[in-house]
C-alpha cells in the first residue's frame, strides 16, 4: 500500500509509525469505496423503473446497514485510539532531553524560514522587534552576551543525523506551517506562541522544508532546504559559521 500511495522517503525515526496510520486509513477508505460502489450498482439494477413501476413506501426492514455503520465506527475508533493517538502522544509528550538533542529556533516570516543555533555557549540570545533591519531580519540582539555567538541561517537548515532535534517554532507575522514531508514533520507556527517540535533524522541528504499553510501572496516560494549530515560535518558547519561570525 505504501508503494501504491507513492509516499516520500522515510527519513526520520517516527516516519514508519505515521505511515502505518496513513496505510490503515487508506485500507479502510478502499474497503468503504468498493463497498459503496457495489451497493450503488446494486441499487441501480434492483430498483430500476422498469421492474418497479410503483414506489415502495415501506423502506428497509433489515438491520444490516445499522450493523455495518457500527462496524465502521468501531474500526475508526480502533485506528484513532490504538494507532493515531499513541503516535501523536509521543510527538507532544515524550520530548528527548535537551542536552542530548540539537536545539534550534525556527522562525517563520513571510516568506522565509529562519534557523537560529545557540552557538558555543548553548544559550539563545534575545530577539527584539525594534532591532529588525534589512540585514537583521529577525531582530537578533548581537549585544546580548548570549546572542553574540548565535548562528543564523535563512532557508537552509543543517542538522546531524541520528540525533534528536528540538525545534522551537515561532512566527513573526501570520500563521505558517513548518512542513518537512520526508521527516513526517508538520506543525503550524502561530503568532504569539513558541511551539516545540521534535524528531530524529535517520538519513543523510538534502530535504525540503515547505510552508503548509497558505500564508500570503509569496506562499509558493516559502521553501527552505534541510541538509542532514554526519555529526562530524555538523560540527564543521558550526565552527565554519562561528568563524564567519567572528570575522564580521
Ligand atoms: Cu508561510
Amino acid at each position: 500500500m505504501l508503494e501504491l500511495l507513492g509516499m516520500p522517503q522515510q527519513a526520520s525515526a517516527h516516519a514508519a509509525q505515521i505511515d502505518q496510520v496513513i496505510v490503515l486509513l487508506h485500507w479502510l477508505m478502499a474497503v468503504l469505496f468498493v463497498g459503496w460502489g457495489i451497493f450503488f450498482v446494486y441499487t441501480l439494477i434492483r430498483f430500476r423503473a422498469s421492474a418497479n413501476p410503483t414506489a415502495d413506501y415501506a423502506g428497509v426492514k433489515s438491520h444490516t446497514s445499522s450493523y455495518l455503520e457500527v462496524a465502521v465506527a468501531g474500526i475508526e475508533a480502533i485506528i484513532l485510539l490504538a494507532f493515531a493517538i499513541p503516535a501523536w502522544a509521543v510527538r507532544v509528550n515524550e520530548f528527548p532531553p535537551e542536552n542530548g538533542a540539537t536545539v534550534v529556533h525556527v522562525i517563520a516570516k513571510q516568506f522565509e524560514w529562519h534557523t537560529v543555533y545557540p552557538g558555543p555557549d548553548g544559550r539563545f540570545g534575545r530577539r527584539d522587534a525594534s532591532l529588525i533591519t534589512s540585514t537583521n531580519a529577525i531582530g537578533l540582539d548581537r549585544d546580548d552576551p548570549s546572542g553574540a555567538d548565535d548562528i543564523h541561517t535563512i532557508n537552509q537548515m543543517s542538522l546531524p543525523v541520528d540525533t534528536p532535534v528540538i525545534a522551537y517554532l515561532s512566527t513573526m507575522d501570520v500563521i505558517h506551517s513548518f512542513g518537512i514531508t520526508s521527516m513526517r514533520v508538520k506543525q503550524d507556527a502561530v503568532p504569539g506562541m513558541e511551539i516545540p517540535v521534535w524528531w530524529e533524522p535517520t538519513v543523510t541528504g538534502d530535504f525540503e522544508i515547505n510552508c503548509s499553510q497558505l500564508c500570503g501572496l509569496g506562499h509558493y516560494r516559502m521553501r527552505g532546504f534541510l541538509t542532514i549530515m554526519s555529526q562530524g560535518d555538523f560540527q564543521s558547519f558550526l565552527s565554519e559559521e562561528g568563524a564567519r561570525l567572528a570575522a564580521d
Side-chain angles (χ1 to χ4, degrees):
M1 178 59 102
L2 258 188
E3 277 167 39
L4 198 68
L5 292 175
M7 294 294 283
Q9 183 186 8
Q10 295 178 342
S12 68
H14 73 284
Q17 197 184 13
I18 301 276
D19 286 2
Q20 183 189 37
V21 179
I22 292 174
V23 164
L24 286 171
L25 281 173
H26 277 81
W27 273 121
L28 176 61
M29 290 305 133
V31 169
L32 289 180
F33 173 73
V34 172
W36 277 115
I38 292 170
F39 180 67
F40 176 61
V41 172
Y42 167 78
T43 54
L44 287 182
I45 298 165
R46 169 71 181 77
F47 302 108
R48 65 192 185 280
S50 61
N52 302 273
T54 50
D56 176 2
Y57 295 101
V60 178
K61 300 233 171 39
S62 134
H63 288 291
T64 313
S65 58
S66 315
Y67 297 146
L68 281 173
E69 203 49 54
V70 170
V72 170
I75 295 169
E76 285 172 353
I78 291 171
I79 294 177
L80 193 63
L81 297 173
F83 296 93
I85 290 177
W88 166 79
V90 177
R91 309 314 324 147
V92 296
N93 286 326
E94 294 174 28
F95 272 75
E98 288 206 353
N99 55 21
T102 313
V103 183
V104 292
H105 283 179
V106 174
I107 302 134
K109 181 179 190 293
Q110 286 176 321
F111 299 95
E112 296 158 343
W113 293 107
H114 294 260
T115 306
V116 179
Y117 301 82
D121 68 354
R123 291 201 312 273
F124 289 96
R126 195 175 76 92
R127 292 200 313 267
D128 194 307
S130 66
L131 298 173
I132 294 172
T133 60
S134 59
T135 52
N136 186 5
I138 55 170
L140 198 61
D141 184 358
R142 291 294 184 189
D143 293 330
D144 175 11
S146 307
D149 62 351
D150 286 11
I151 293 161
H152 169 212
T153 60
I154 304 174
N155 287 336
Q156 170 61 52
M157 185 187 251
S158 301
L159 294 169
V161 73
D162 296 328
T163 311
V165 183
I166 304 175
Y168 287 92
L169 185 62
S170 58
T171 167
M172 294 176 68
D173 35 54
V174 299
I175 298 176
H176 298 273
S177 182
F178 180 61
I180 314 169
T181 314
S182 46
M183 303 280 155
R184 305 298 188 272
V185 167
K186 191 156 289 177
Q187 171 62 53
D188 275 9
V190 180
M193 292 180 79
E194 190 177 66
I195 303 171
V197 190
W198 82 274
W199 75 96
E200 184 173 328
T202 51
V203 180
T204 55
D206 293 314
F207 305 94
E208 204 177 281
I209 305 169
N210 359 75
C211 181
S212 314
Q213 286 279 10
L214 185 57
C215 60
L217 279 178
H219 165 68
Y220 70 93
R221 64 180 156 87
M222 191 161 170
R223 179 190 189 207
F225 296 91
L226 169 64
T227 307
I228 303 296
M229 48 185 75
S230 68
Q231 192 61 247
D233 286 349
F234 181 65
Q235 292 310 325
S236 333
F237 156 77
L238 287 181
S239 37
E240 273 167 33
E241 290 294 322
R244 185 182 321 199
L245 209 59
D248 275 351

